[in-house]
Structures are given as C-alpha cells and as structure tokens.
Amino acid sequence: MLTIGFPRAMAYYYLYPFFRTFAESLGAAFVVSPPTTKATLNKMEFCPTDEPCVAVKLLFAHVKELLERDINHILIPCLVSVEPDNFCCPKFIGIPYMVQNALRDDARVLIPRIDLYRGDDAWQESFVAVARSLGVNSRRQALAALRKAAMVQRRFDRTVAEKRLTIEEAYQLYDKGKLFNGGPPSTPTAKKPVIGVVGHPYILYDTISLDILKQVRHYGPVLTAEMVLPEVAKKEIDSIAEGERLWSFEAQVLGAALHFLRQHLVDRLILVGSFECGPESIIESYVEDEARRQGVPFLLLTLDEHTGEAGLVTRIEAFMDVAPEKRPEVQVPVPAPERRLLPGPPPERMVVGLPSMGHLDLAIRCALGECGIDSLPTPHASKEIIELGKALSPEFVCLPFVITLGQMRYLLERGATHLLMVGGKGKCRLGWYAQIQEQLLRKLGYEFEMIIIDSPVPFARRWSKFRGAIKEATGNASWWRIIRALYNGYHRIAAIDRAEKECHRIRAFERQQGTVDKLFRRFVRAVEQAPDSTTVQQLLRNFLEEANSIEMEETNPVRVRVLGEIWVVLESYVNMHLERLLGRSTDPRVWVDREISVTNWFHQHIFPTREALRRREEIKQAAKPYLGTEVGGHGHISVGLTALARQEGIDGIIHLMPFTCMPEIVAQNILVQLSQRFDIPVLTWIITDQTGEAGFETRIEAFLDILKERKLAGGL
C-alpha cells in the first residue's frame, strides 16, 4: 500500500478531513507528520529563505520530517480558490511549488489544485492525476473519491460549529471516529468573562502558539472562529464593501470576530497572527474598529518562532486586567467619523489627488485636465510622506500601502476633495488598499470622496460600477471626451516608457555619463506640458534622435535584468534610484533590462496587443515548471523572467520586493533554486522604510563585481 504524507501545517488545519478521505478512498495510507517540537523548529532552515511567515517555514520543517520517514509521496495542495468569488492567500497557492523546487526529487510531491474561481471543473483533473500517481487509473473512481471528500469536509465544518469545538478537539474526535456522534454544544460557564480568540488555526493550534488557548482559558471560556457557521460569518462579511471577495480563510476569521462582537457574545477579543502575515494586516483594521465600537477590549498578538512564553503570558495578564468599556445596550449603526476641516475655505470645486507609481500620475492628471477636472501634483515618495503614512498603517502592511497613504494625507492637507485609487480584489492586498486607507483617513476626520477604479471585467457584473467611477472622476464628462482624454494620457505614459527603455541602453555606452538622463528629464517635462498626443509623438521622435546622437564609446556592458513587484520597480525613491545607480557604474558598465512597465501591463491586461500577449504566454510557459499557477502581483512574472534570463543574454538578476509582499515572497523562495539551476546570480533586495542607501549601494557594487568577473572568465 502506498503511503501519503501530509504536513501538519497550513492546509492541514483547514482541510485535513477532506484530503484524508480522498486518499483513503483510493486505497492509500494517510500519515500526518507529528506535532511540532523543538526538533521540528530546527528543521525550518529547510526553507530556502527567511522571508515567509512562520506558517510556511513550519510546513517546510514538517515536510523534512516526513521525508526522513521515507514516505512514498508528500501531498501539498495548491489552494487557489475554495469559493467561487474569492481567492486564497498567495502562500497557499505557491507553497507546493516552493517545496517542490527545494527538493531534488520533486516527483515525490503530489499537488492537487482547488480552483473554484474560474467557475469550471478543470481543476478536478489535478485530483485525477494524483489518483493515477497512486495507481488508480479510473477517472470515475477518482472523482467519486473527490465528491466523498467534499461531503465529509462540509459535514465536519458544520459539526464543529454546532458543537462549539476547537479544530484541535474536533480532529481528536474525528480520528477516533466519534466526532459525528450526538452531544450538545458546549456552553460558556456563567460569571466568567467569555474571551474570543480568533486567528489562523495553523498558528493557534501549533506548538508555536505556546498553548495560548490554555493560558486564556484560565480567565474564562473561549470562543474561536471555527465555532461560527460559515453562512453566519459570511452574513457579517457582507456588511463590508466587497467583503465576499476577501480571502476565504481570512473571511471566516473576520466574520467570526464581527459576529462575536456585534452579538455581544464575548467580553474580550484577541486576534492572534503571525509575523509578516499579509492578509491579517487587512482584517486587523476591521476587527479593531468593531471592537472599539462595541466597547470590547481588543488585543493583537503577533507570534513567530522567537516568541517567548514569559512575554506572552505577561501581555495576556495585562490585557485581562483592562476594564471593559460600557457596552451599547443595542446594536447601533456605524457612527459617522468626526470630520476634520480642510485648510482654508470650503472647496467650491472638485480637486482630485492620486498616489503615484513611476510617471503614471502625470498621464492621469493630464487626462483629468482634458475633462476639465483640477488635480494636485502627486508628491514624490520621501521621508515626510513615509512618516505621514506610517503613523496610520497596520504593522505588517507593505510599503506601497504606507507611502500611497502618506501621499493621500499630503494631498488632503493641500486641498484635495477627491482621492482616486485603483481597486480590484485579487490574490495580493492591492485591491484592499483603497478601502482600508479610506477607513484610516476618515478616522482622523478628513472629509473627502474616495473614487475606486476597479476592473470592468467581467462586464456583466462590474461594468456598471466601473462606469460610475469613471464618470465621477471626470465630472460626468461625455464618453467622447473621456475616451479622447484617456487616449492622450495613454500616449504620454507610453512615450515616457519608450524613452526610458532607450535610456537603459544608452547609459551603458555614452561617453559622458549622465547626458541621456538630462535629456530624459527635459523630455518628461515637455510631455507633461504637451497639448495633445500628436505633440507627444513628435517629442518622442525628437528625444530618440537626440539620444542616438549622443557620443558613444566601445564598452562591454553586463546585462542586468530588474524585476519584482511593479510599484517598487517603478518608484525610483523607493528603490534608491537603482537604474540611475547602475547607469553610473563605470567598471563594469551596465545595460539595464527592465520589462516591467505601465505600458506593458496595459498591453497585456486592458487593451492587449498580439506582441504583448505572445510575450506574456512565453513568460508563463517559462515559469510553469517552477511555479505552476499565478500567485498574484508580479510573482509569476518574476519567476518566468528569471527562467528566461540566460537564453536572453542576461548576466544577472536584481529582484526588488517590498517587505511582506506575499507574491514576491513566493517568487523569492523559488528564485533561490533557479539561480542554482540556471547558474545566474540573483540579488533580492527587500525594501522597507528603514532601507539605507549606503548599504544598498555597497551590495549593488559587490553584485556588479561578481557579474564582471563572470563575464571576463566567460570571455577567456
């Protein structure tokens, strides 16, 4: 009999009955790795990088323990979407591929994929493939096992909620065959405070939590998120704009927390998370606000492998000593925030402010101007802007959130009446920025309107909202005027992107370094002032002609590909003016290859061109052997561009990512293996508000020295 090993981490705490039922229905033995011990923690170094949250590193450690037991196959599911309208966190999508790339014998990893978002049953074929790996060639038998597994899991989830069991208690009963027996739900003991403890079960019930539930139970009975029926949690989530599109597991945690608070079921609430948990930085604001509204003391506990028991106990003791506020006698609507008057007289006209990404704000402001809408210049990222955003931001939210929030505050203080921001719920956090930022700004009393531009696709469901946002942003201009303005705005950013690409090449050969940069700065100012797209096109032709007349010299430059999360790649202040730094290098000279741009994204996603779609598919196919599905953001592209690098003449890779960026954490983990596989140097730079320029330049110089030595050795 074949044996399947299942790591006691991540998906285990959500779908153990499902995968055990599936495997055993096919005649395989199903073995779960033992509970986490100190020895397990020592095996977390099997994870190639230190950036993933502790849950990911624990999964690597548990895989290591299963491999040491000589298990036939390791099952690690790829959970893309377990509900039709939303996704799972990128780490649940990418973890099987992260582990697969870390193993020499990757054939031992079985990767069934669940993806209900697409609305079809294509994902079921991955379970059929797993069945074949186990020697079951009957597709009918595999699908029957899949249906049975889904039925058991649904029954399990409902039973746990109805009996008010923790996952840990439920699994013990399930393994003994006693879970589905009769028995009333547990009832909180009278005269003791009821404490809600919510968070991911893979943290709460792992040894890493230092048995936090046991410690909290000293003070009273505990309610956890799995004790709330999914439909009840969903009803609470529906009170949040687009709450149905929140990540599935986080939606259950948030929905349960809101239910406990609004129904006055708990006297205190603790949200337990892990260091660097991306989704938690989004739901944290909603939980904290509701706890404040209901007068319930709230504690956020963030744990990792270094958390000490003494400090944890002290924090819980102090929290339990906090006197609860007076509860409202009845549930009341969300109160309107205290308004803060903007500087100067009340605005008499619409003034739009928007965050920046590279030169995109220039194009958008020009388009707004053509529609008769006033806008404020977007401030460049700076220490001042970072501090404005950091003062309001959740602890582990990514740097793009912090800086764009800081830019919003700056613009509001200078008279903006409307803020324009992108939306679009997906796998990374970007789609939730605008909602959380609006909530945080209104908490300070700012008075403004937030206009969120979401994707219009699919048109049947989202066109109406998209149309309304565009009309609001343009002052209800005619569609002819809007289309003309967007057309001219597109040509401005496309011209700037084309000119930047030429700068990348010329910097590697110009005799007097810095000549093309002066020319480019003058070109950008002219594009901003140009009256129409015809003028912009002429400006671009003039720039290319002047740039190519710059005096050149013979050099042998190294080719450096810059990739990563699009915002930090395009924001020069945030990436320490990386491209300018590379362009100043004299030994070696550097030819930057940067494919990520606003124009390329536009051509691949909004108005696709044949060339852009061909390139997108090429990158996707190159990534597929190492990352079998998209994880959000530019994580998939980072892997694909790295896999293509050597054959495209690239000497080295610089990978940029903001601290806690979920898709790029997945990519970084895989890039470590690709660097060895393709023998290409990869430098990953993790950017925070504490990143120092001196250390950055030293690392870049050392990296370039490596590339120069390799190039010289290759030429001998």
Side-chain angles (χ1 to χ4, degrees):
M1 177 185 293
L2 287 175
T3 302
I4 293 179
F6 196 48
R8 189 183 294 265
M10 295 182 68
Y12 164 80
Y13 289 97
Y14 286 104
L15 296 170
Y16 164 57
F18 175 88
F19 286 106
R20 174 182 162 182
T21 301
F22 177 74
E24 292 181 348
S25 296
L26 297 175
F30 197 72
V31 175
V32 178
S33 58
T36 300
T37 63
K38 288 185 178 180
T40 312
L41 296 180
N42 292 334
K43 293 170 184 172
M44 289 198 297
E45 62 186 17
F46 181 46
C47 181
T49 59
D50 196 44
E51 291 312 307
C53 65
V54 67
V56 170
K57 289 185 279 190
L58 277 171
L59 187 138
F60 269 93
H62 280 274
V63 168
K64 183 71 171 175
E65 292 201 332
L66 288 169
L67 292 172
E68 290 172 354
R69 297 178 64 177
D70 199 27
I71 301 293
N72 300 117
H73 296 284
I74 310 294
L75 189 147
I76 309 175
C78 171
L79 303 182
V80 179
S81 172
V82 296
E83 295 177 288
D85 293 324
N86 53 16
F87 293 102
C88 295
C89 165
K91 64 191 175 191
F92 276 99
I93 303 172
I95 186 61
Y97 304 103
M98 295 162 72
V99 173
Q100 188 179 54
N101 280 277
L103 296 178
R104 293 181 180 177
D105 181 14
D106 58 13
R108 295 181 67 181
V109 180
L110 302 177
I111 307 179
R113 187 180 78 256
I114 300 179
D115 185 2
L116 302 185
Y117 189 81
R118 298 179 182 274
D120 58 39
D121 296 332
W123 60 272
Q124 296 182 0
E125 296 307 314
S126 67
F127 282 83
V128 174
V130 168
R132 291 197 184 102
S133 299
L134 301 176
V136 178
N137 295 317
S138 169
R139 185 173 183 276
R140 179 179 296 180
Q141 185 178 349
L143 294 179
L146 184 58
R147 287 192 296 271
K148 181 179 179 182
M151 180 191 68
V152 169
Q153 185 67 48
R154 283 194 297 270
R155 187 182 178 194
F156 174 89
D157 292 339
R158 181 161 293 276
T159 302
V160 169
E162 290 173 346
K163 291 188 176 183
R164 286 187 175 174
L165 299 170
T166 66
I167 287 292
E168 191 173 40
E169 293 165 344
Y171 281 179
Q172 291 174 359
L173 293 171
Y174 177 74
D175 284 338
K176 295 175 183 178
K178 298 180 179 180
L179 177 65
F180 301 126
N181 296 340
S186 59
T187 304
T189 306
K191 298 182 180 181
K192 281 192 174 185
V194 179
I195 305 118
V197 181
V198 296
H200 291 114
Y202 51 73
I203 298 296
L204 284 179
Y205 304 117
D206 192 277
T207 308
I208 201 78
S209 75
L210 303 173
D211 210 352
I212 187 172
L213 290 188
K214 181 179 179 181
Q215 296 184 42
V216 173
R217 279 176 171 149
H218 287 310
Y219 302 93
V222 168
L223 294 180
T224 57
E226 60 268 27
M227 297 178 185
V228 177
L229 289 166
E231 59 267 27
V232 174
K234 185 179 185 304
K235 183 179 178 181
E236 300 290 358
I237 287 295
D238 286 344
S239 66
I240 297 171
E242 297 188 290
E244 75 282 357
R245 298 171 69 186
L246 190 68
W247 303 279
S248 294
F249 301 142
E250 285 71 24
Q252 177 67 25
V253 172
L254 176 56
L258 296 179
H259 177 68
F260 292 153
L261 293 167
R262 291 169 178 172
Q263 301 303 317
H264 298 174
L265 298 176
V266 296
D267 300 292
R268 285 173 167 76
L269 185 70
I270 301 175
L271 173 60
V272 181
S274 60
F275 183 76
E276 288 196 67
C277 179
E280 184 202 289
S281 65
I282 298 300
I283 69 172
E284 169 192 332
S285 295
Y286 289 111
V287 177
E288 185 175 13
D289 272 11
E290 191 63 36
R292 174 181 52 81
R293 190 174 300 119
Q294 300 296 338
V296 175
F298 170 73
L299 174 64
L300 172 64
L301 284 178
T302 303
L303 309 179
D304 66 10
E305 64 269 36
H306 304 297
T307 301
E309 185 172 6
L312 184 65
V313 170
T314 301
R315 288 199 65 190
I316 293 173
E317 288 175 348
F319 174 66
M320 296 307 299
D321 286 338
V322 173
E325 302 176 27
K326 184 178 180 180
R327 287 176 178 267
E329 293 183 5
V330 295
Q331 187 173 337
V332 296
V334 178
E338 180 185 351
R339 296 300 185 186
R340 175 178 175 181
L341 294 178
L342 295 173
E348 297 180 354
R349 69 188 195 282
M350 178 178 179
V351 180
V352 174
L354 63 148
S356 68
M357 184 178 72
H359 298 285
L360 181 59
D361 62 298
L362 179 153
I364 296 176
R365 287 191 293 107
C366 288
L368 290 173
E370 290 190 39
C371 292
I373 300 298
D374 291 333
S375 62
L376 296 175
T378 306
H380 294 295
S382 64
K383 288 184 178 180
E384 176 191 2
I385 296 299
I386 289 175
E387 290 306 315
L388 284 173
K390 192 175 178 181
L392 301 182
S393 298
E395 186 175 5
F396 293 115
V397 79
C398 52
L399 188 60
F401 179 100
V402 174
I403 291 182
T404 53
L405 178 59
Q407 289 172 329
M408 290 177 183
R409 287 190 68 185
Y410 181 96
L411 291 164
L412 289 172
E413 294 287 358
R414 281 153 184 79
T417 62
H418 292 66
L419 294 176
L420 186 63
M421 185 62 176
V422 296
K425 305 300 186 291
K427 298 167 185 173
C428 80
R429 286 171 285 187
L430 172 63
W432 289 94
Y433 280 11
Q435 283 174 234
I436 302 298
Q437 288 167 334
E438 180 180 11
Q439 182 185 44
L440 294 171
L441 290 168
R442 291 200 184 283
K443 194 182 296 186
L444 282 185
Y446 286 106
E447 185 174 358
F448 65 98
E449 293 295 327
M450 177 72 83
I451 305 173
I452 304 176
I453 307 293
D454 201 341
S455 169
V457 179
F459 290 103
R461 293 172 56 188
R462 298 182 188 163
W463 168 253
S464 177
K465 186 175 181 180
F466 173 79
R467 178 186 181 279
I470 292 293
K471 282 288 188 176
E472 183 180 5
T474 57
N476 204 32
S478 69
W479 278 109
W480 168 249
R481 193 175 185 183
I482 293 171
I483 291 170
R484 184 181 64 188
L486 293 176
Y487 177 81
N488 289 332
Y490 159 77
H491 277 288
R492 292 178 201 273
I493 193 64
I496 291 173
D497 284 346
R498 176 66 183 87
E500 273 195 312
K501 186 174 183 180
E502 194 67 11
C503 289
H504 295 155
R505 181 184 67 85
I506 290 177
R507 286 187 188 119
F509 300 98
E510 61 183 349
R511 184 175 296 278
Q512 182 64 42
Q513 288 185 298
T515 304
V516 76
D517 289 331
K518 294 177 182 177
L519 191 64
F520 177 72
R521 288 192 292 270
R522 189 168 73 239
F523 166 74
V524 171
R525 289 194 296 269
V527 167
E528 186 172 14
Q529 300 299 321
D532 50 45
S533 59
T534 301
T535 306
V536 169
Q537 291 302 305
Q538 185 58 52
L539 288 170
L540 178 60
R541 287 191 291 270
N542 293 344
F543 170 82
L544 294 175
E545 184 177 336
E546 289 184 66
N548 281 283
S549 67
I550 293 174
E551 187 177 1
M552 306 286 191
E553 63 183 4
E554 283 290 328
T555 66
N556 185 24
V558 295
R559 296 287 303 275
V560 175
R561 175 163 284 174
V562 177
L563 49 79
E565 193 274 329
I566 186 171
W567 190 85
V568 297
V569 167
L570 298 184
E571 276 295 307
S572 58
Y573 174 85
V574 174
N575 63 42
M576 305 291 172
H577 304 281
L578 173 63
E579 292 175 11
R580 189 175 67 189
L581 175 62
L582 294 173
R584 287 204 310 260
S585 175
T586 57
D587 186 25
R589 299 293 288 270
V590 179
W591 184 343
V592 171
D593 176 281
R594 171 168 60 79
E595 197 162 326
I596 294 172
S597 69
V598 172
T599 306
N600 278 350
W601 184 90
F602 190 85
H603 285 167
Q604 291 180 358
H605 298 280
I606 305 298
F607 290 113
T609 64
R610 182 177 300 177
E611 181 182 358
L613 291 179
R614 179 197 58 79
R615 180 59 172 170
R616 182 182 178 184
E617 184 63 22
E618 187 177 20
I619 293 170
K620 180 180 178 180
Q621 292 303 317
K624 191 172 182 179
Y626 317 105
L627 182 57
T629 190
E630 295 185 12
V631 292
H634 279 70
H636 199 251
I637 293 173
S638 294
V639 172
L641 287 176
T642 300
L644 290 168
R646 283 302 297 270
Q647 69 188 62
E648 295 180 345
I650 302 300
D651 297 299
I653 303 285
I654 296 180
H655 175 222
L656 302 176
M657 57 176 280
F659 180 61
T660 79
C661 176
M662 300 181 295
E664 294 301 332
I665 284 174
V666 174
Q668 179 207 12
N669 203 278
I670 295 172
L671 294 190
V672 171
Q673 313 302 326
L674 294 190
S675 176
Q676 299 173 5
R677 189 184 298 260
F678 291 105
D679 187 29
I680 186 167
V682 175
L683 171 63
T684 292
W685 190 261
I686 301 163
I687 300 174
T688 74
D689 61 293
Q690 302 297 320
T691 300
E693 190 170 352
F696 181 70
E697 290 187 7
T698 301
R699 290 277 303 275
I700 294 296
E701 289 169 1
F703 183 69
L704 293 180
D705 284 342
I706 292 172
L707 300 188
K708 180 183 71 173
E709 291 175 6
R710 286 169 57 92
K711 195 171 185 71
L712 290 174
L716 294 178

